[in-house]
Amino acid sequence: YKLINKTSLKYHPDKALSRSESPGAVKRADEHYKLINKAYAILSDREKRLGYDSIDKTTDTLPTDEEVTQGGFYEVMAHYFKMNTRWSVSQRIPPFGDDATPIDAVDRFYNFWDSFKSWRDFSAEGEHDPEMAKNRWERRAMIKDNENTTRIRKLEESERIKTMVAMSKRHDPRLRRREVKKAEAKERGKKAKADERLKVIEEAAEEERKEVVLKEEAIINHQTAKTDKQNAKFQARRERKEFKELVEGVDAKLVDEVVARLTQAALRSLAADAR
């Protein structure tokens, strides 16, 4: 304040008159004095000071893809993010980190910038000075026009930050490595599912094959039993026929005697086996 006061007194028009300076010098001193007072009014008012500080355009540029590639991702992007931290409402800003930064810390960094809140208001970039309005209607029109300019600049600022964050994500090796791991895990999952489906199909095919084999064996066994039964019947008919031919013309009493003897011999044999 002392410096402002000293400078203001130096260029005060009355001081210039007291020094008997020329009319032109007095006019220049008056203009300089008004600028000093205007500057003090801006710098001493918090809202006006924010508007004035927002004019700084040194951070409004963005790196090119070529610059990021050739200059090194970490060096280039860390520089641009650091320049823009001055506009952050919150000063608890996660660090950009390096290639060894854990991925959860990287996510916290990008989450902060995805929801970045800037205090820049661009009010000082308004085209009109409402204090110079001739009447209240003109003043209102000037204020409205300045507000539209401020709104457009805020939108541009938001898009600039989003573009910077998107560029950083696009080149970030840490995010790329995670995407590669995700893709590999996804492929492993697909292969595991495919192997499981193949296993189920093979097991179902094996069960079906076993059922077919069992059915074929059952058919073969049925046909074999049927054939054996038919053969047994045929053999029995053949034996009866041979027996009839054998005993044909033989005395019936003799046959009965033979049968009886054979029966007795069989009984004696059974009795002997029993003893």
Side-chain angles (χ1 to χ4, degrees):
Y1 178 78
K2 289 182 179 180
L3 181 60
I4 291 291
N5 189 42
K6 182 178 179 180
T7 306
S8 179
L9 288 174
K10 178 180 178 180
Y11 290 98
H12 196 284
D14 292 342
K15 292 288 184 179
L17 287 172
S18 66
R19 291 192 296 267
S20 300
E21 296 183 4
S22 65
V26 173
K27 183 179 180 181
R28 286 194 299 274
D30 182 60
E31 292 175 352
H32 204 156
Y33 177 76
K34 289 178 179 178
L35 289 175
I36 292 171
N37 286 337
K38 183 177 181 180
Y40 177 72
I42 292 174
L43 297 177
S44 60
D45 184 282
R46 184 179 181 280
E47 292 186 2
K48 291 181 179 179
R49 176 63 181 267
L50 292 177
Y52 175 77
D53 290 342
S54 298
I55 296 176
D56 186 1
K57 297 184 182 296
T58 57
T59 64
D60 289 354
T61 58
L62 291 176
T64 62
D65 289 324
E66 184 179 2
E67 182 181 355
V68 175
T69 302
Q70 295 181 356
F73 167 76
Y74 295 105
E75 293 78 7
V76 174
M77 293 311 304
H79 169 70
Y80 278 90
F81 277 109
K82 185 177 180 179
M83 283 198 307
N84 284 276
T85 56
R86 61 174 297 192
W87 309 124
S88 176
V89 172
S90 171
Q91 291 305 307
R92 300 181 63 182
I93 304 170
F96 182 72
D98 54 29
D99 198 61
T101 301
I103 195 64
D104 56 342
V106 176
D107 287 336
R108 284 195 297 271
F109 173 82
Y110 283 117
N111 289 339
F112 173 84
W113 285 96
D114 283 336
S115 57
F116 181 76
K117 290 182 175 58
S118 173
W119 55 259
R120 297 180 83 176
D121 65 3
F122 305 102
S123 59
E125 295 189 19
E127 182 180 353
H128 309 287
D129 184 359
E131 299 298 330
M132 303 298 293
K134 297 178 180 178
N135 52 60
R136 60 181 180 180
W137 294 281
E138 186 178 7
R139 176 183 173 83
R140 289 175 182 173
M142 287 181 175
I143 292 174
K144 184 176 181 180
D145 193 34
N146 288 345
E147 288 176 348
N148 287 336
T149 300
T150 299
R151 179 177 57 81
I152 292 172
R153 288 290 288 117
K154 284 185 176 181
L155 289 175
E156 291 174 349
E157 172 75 353
S158 178
E159 287 302 315
R160 185 183 67 82
I161 295 295
K162 289 179 181 178
T163 301
M164 180 178 67
V165 174
M167 175 180 288
S168 182
K169 288 181 178 181
R170 190 167 61 251
H171 289 276
D172 198 325
R174 300 165 298 187
L175 298 184
R176 288 181 176 180
R177 286 196 293 267
R178 178 168 65 182
E179 291 305 313
V180 170
K181 289 181 180 179
K182 284 184 178 180
E184 291 175 349
K186 187 176 181 180
E187 287 300 318
R188 288 195 297 270
K190 286 183 179 179
K191 186 178 183 304
K193 289 182 179 179
D195 291 343
E196 184 64 25
R197 286 196 295 268
L198 180 61
K199 182 180 179 181
V200 171
I201 292 172
E202 289 176 347
E203 289 177 350
E206 179 64 18
E207 290 296 325
E208 184 176 355
R209 187 191 67 79
K210 289 180 179 179
E211 290 181 2
V212 170
V213 170
L214 291 175
K215 287 181 180 179
E216 290 177 349
E217 289 178 351
I219 292 172
I220 292 173
N221 292 336
H222 176 72
Q223 290 177 345
T224 301
K226 184 177 181 181
T227 301
D228 291 344
K229 187 176 181 181
Q230 290 175 347
N231 290 337
K233 288 182 178 180
F234 176 77
Q235 182 67 19
R237 285 197 297 271
R238 189 177 65 179
E239 289 178 353
R240 284 196 298 272
K241 182 178 179 182
E242 289 176 351
F243 182 77
K244 287 181 180 180
E245 291 176 353
L246 181 66
V247 300
E248 186 174 342
V250 178
D251 187 1
K253 289 183 179 180
L254 180 60
V255 172
D256 291 339
E257 183 179 351
V258 171
V259 171
R261 289 180 179 179
L262 289 174
T263 301
Q264 290 176 0
L267 290 175
R268 283 195 300 269
S269 177
L270 289 175
D273 291 338
R275 287 194 300 269

